[in-house]
Every structure is written in structure tokens, then in C-alpha cells.
Amino acid sequence: MGERNPYEGAINNLRKVSDIIQLDKHIVEILERPQNIIEFSMPVKMDSGDVKIFQGYRVQHNDARGPYKGGIRFHPQVNLNEVKALAFWMSLKSSLVDIPYGGAKGGITVDPKALSHDELEKLARGYVRAVKDNIGPDRDIPAPDVNTNAQTMAYMMDEYSHLSGKYEPASFTGKPVGAGGMPDRESATGQGGAYVIEDFIKSLPKKQKEYTVAIQGFGNVGQFFAEIIHYMGAPFKIVAVSDSRTTVFCGNGLDIPFLISHKKDTGGVAGYDKCEAMGSDEILALNVDILVPAALEGAITSQNAAAVKAKIILELANGPVTTEADEILNNNGVVVLPDILANSGGVIVSYFEWIQGRTGDIWESENVQQKLQRKLVKALSEVSKTAEEYKVSLRDAAYILSISRIAEAIRLRGFNG
Ligand code: NAD
């Protein structure tokens, strides 16, 4: 079931880990359901003069450790179960990297590629008007996710500031630097992934001279990760990249800066003629050392997990491996660096941006990078130690750490909420 419903998969993992740490059953019950679900429909006057109605969501999972935090996704497949799962993972992620937030997520069911820039701006502003009473710097702080970006956040922060009657830079994170944003926020998720894999490789008892890398998804996260790893150079060599239509494979290594400008010009990775092209799903079964899912959840399932040849998976997407697939990978000796650790760079730098917005202090890139790396290295080391202590996978260890911290906050604050 978890294969089709990511929320069920997430809750199955919660129950499994709760059994391992013998978590109070009331806390399990609290964490099994989101605290608030906001569902709304929203009319938008299109450029043609026609009015279209869009479905929107904001799910606030848990705020025991601080205000809710999580991105907003614009995608045709956005639905309540997906948003619930993503909100749950945000609670765990913030807790795992020890930042003072709970978890939330939002989205609009829309194909953003079919909308003009002006229509997308109206959609972004309409979203804020629909959830304005439920968000804010001390309540719930959204950020970008799939198909939303720094510009979307600038419109949203502007709308929220108008509605509040005052400048509210800490209401949204992931804004452009020119509108209260933080240097390196756009690249933060990819950069965080690079710090995690670099540190993980260093910790391996037997090191290879070279690690070949395949990256599924060439959007915000995938592109920044690819660029950072490309310039890092040895021991990493990116040999394959995919988007929703095509995989490009080049055994000698891809020219990533060229591929990024090719994608900018043409809208995809197809037509990059220096390499072999194949179907988009074929990237998952390539003979590489490190596979990096950076597209959407549910990419690796019970159907294709056995075909994965990589021995390390770095989950930059949220929930790219289903519960069933996770078990297959585990049995096959594949090490999965779990999403709530591997892609937490975005929310960590969002936290820095929120501090900047609340204090008026200006952060330099150097400071951001140093603090980001330190947080991730510490989290990876804690996860590795917990995995050894409990003899569990890195995912279960990450869940044990994050759920224990949320449980402690719930217990300390009391149950009569
Ligand atoms: P994005 O919209 O910028 O990029 C997504 C990319 O995935 C696009 O290039 C799209 O073509 C590609 N894609 C879609 N289906 C695919 C398929 N079947 N095969 C290959 N590629 C496919 O989104 P993003 O912000 O890069 O987010 C990607 C993932 O990372 C999501 O799971 C998101 O939740 C997660 N994430 C994002 C952030 C962030 O800061 N943006 C932070 C943490 C996690």
C-alpha cells in the first residue's frame, strides 16, 4: 500500500521505529496524524479572461519543536496524501538536523508549464491569501519546492507583507538575495547533499579512487548538486543525468556546465549529442557507484529496486524510495543515505534566512557554508553512531534520532494541547 500512498509508507516507518525505541503509544498516535489540514479551492483569472479553479493544500504536521516549516509545490500530481507525507518528513528533518521547527508542506494541483508568468504570480499570491491566517514567522514558514522558486517566494512574501500591513521578511524563506534572501539558499539542498556524500565517502573503511555518479532529475536540486560535485572533481565523476523524458549517459563523464546551459536553451537534457541517450527510467539501473534520486517521491519501488546496481543511494528527493523498495535495497547491501539527512541543506539555510529576516543581521556566504557543513557533518555522525548502536539502517537511525527529539518536546510540553 505504501507504494501507492506515500503517507502510509511514512507512517509504517514511524511505527517500525517506534517499536524499536518503545515509544509511548500516545506519542505515536499524535505523530500519525497531522495537526492541521487546510484544503481550499482558488479561482484565478487567466490571461485569456477565462477563470480557472485550482485546488490548494497546506498540511501542518507537528509543531512541538517550533513553528511549522516546509515547501510549497506546484505540480499536476499534488494531492492530500502526498502533502501529508511531505509534511511528516519535514517534522523529522528539522528535528534530525536540530533546528527549532516543526514540519509542514503545501501545494497546488497545477501544471505550471501550461501557465504564463503572470498567471503563476496570481496563483502564488492567491495561495497566500488562502492560508494567511495559518502562516507567519512564528507559526508556519513556507519555502520553495518542486516548480516553485525564489521568485515565487518573493511574490508570496510581498503578498503576506501587504496583508499584514508591515514588511515580513521572515514569513517565507528561499527568497532572492535582493528581496531579503540568503546567499546560497538556492543551491543549499544540492550543496548539503555534496557535504553529506563527501563526508560519508571519507568514513568508508575501503575507499575507491573514483566514484561514478548518476543523477535522476535535473531541476533546482539536481542541477546544483551536479555542478558542485562536478567542480569538486575527484573522486566523483558524473556519468549520467536524467529529466522526466530522457537519460543522458557518458562513461567518460558529463560536461555539466555545458549540459546546464543546454537545458536552459532547450528545456531538457535531450539532444545533448556528446553522449548516449536512453529512456528516463533507465538511469535507475545503470552500473554506477552512487545513484542520486533528485526528482519526485516513489521513483524506486518494489518493481525496479532489485535492478539498482549502485551500492550507495543519496536521496536528494523527498521519499524517492518506497518502504518495500527500501527493504529490497537493504537486503542487497545498498546503503541509503536517507532524505531527511541528505536533502536537509535547504531547510538548514532556510533557518539561517529566517534568523536574518528576524534580526536584520546580514549573513555572508562564508558563514552560511561553514555553519551548513558543520550541521550536516554532525547529523551524519549522529546517524551513523545510532545505526551502529541499534544495528539498523541509516534511515531507521535517522528516524530514531528525530522521532525521539520530537517525542521529548511533546512530553515536556504536556499532552493537554
Ligand atoms: P524542480 O521542479 O526544480 O526539479 C524537478 C526535476 O525532476 C525536473 O527537472 C523534472 O524534469 C525532473 N523529473 C520529474 N520526473 C522525473 C522522472 N521520472 N525522471 C527524471 N526526472 C524527473 O524540483 P526541485 O526543487 O529540484 O525538487 C526535487 C526534489 O527535491 C523533490 O523531491 C523535492 O521535494 C526535493 N527537495 C527540494 C528542496 C528545495 O530546496 N528545492 C529541498 C529539499 C528537498
Side-chain angles (χ1 to χ4, degrees), residues 117-259:
H117 185 99
D118 286 357
E119 290 166 345
L120 285 170
E121 179 180 345
K122 285 186 197 165
L123 203 64
R125 290 183 185 277
Y127 186 92
V128 175
R129 288 196 298 277
V131 299
K132 69 175 190 320
D133 294 335
N134 299 286
I135 61 169
D138 293 307
R139 182 157 169 71
D140 181 354
I141 309 112
D145 192 66
V146 173
N147 290 323
T148 55
N149 55 28
Q151 181 60 69
T152 324
M153 294 305 113
Y155 290 144
M156 289 186 164
M157 183 275 282
D158 180 71
E159 190 66 27
Y160 186 80
S161 294
H162 281 298
L163 293 168
S164 312
K166 61 183 194 298
Y167 181 49
E168 287 280 18
S171 56
F172 286 82
T173 59
K175 304 180 297 296
V177 174
M182 172 65 64
D184 305 338
R185 169 59 185 89
E186 278 202 294
S187 57
T189 305
Q191 177 69 69
Y195 286 141
V196 169
I197 193 70
E198 191 186 23
D199 206 56
F200 177 73
I201 294 293
K202 272 192 214 150
S203 75
L204 290 175
K206 251 184 81 220
K207 292 177 191 56
Q208 294 174 204
K209 257 206 183 126
E210 184 177 90
Y211 292 85
T212 51
V213 181
I215 304 169
Q216 182 201 38
F218 209 49
N220 172 292
V221 174
Q223 272 184 51
F224 277 116
F225 175 76
E227 200 175 13
I228 291 160
I229 286 289
H230 177 81
Y231 286 117
M232 228 178 221
F236 301 110
K237 184 166 85 175
I238 303 171
V239 294
V241 159
S242 70
D243 61 16
S244 53
R245 272 164 289 194
T246 316
T247 296
V248 285
F249 172 80
C250 217
N252 293 329
L254 286 165
D255 181 348
I256 295 295
F258 179 86
L259 193 56

Side-chain angles (χ1 to χ4, degrees), residues 216 281 284 293-302 304-305 317-322 325:
Q216 182 201 38
D281 285 350
L284 301 172
L296 293 174
E297 60 273 2
I300 304 176
T301 65
S302 57
N304 57 20
N318 284 306
V321 175
T322 66

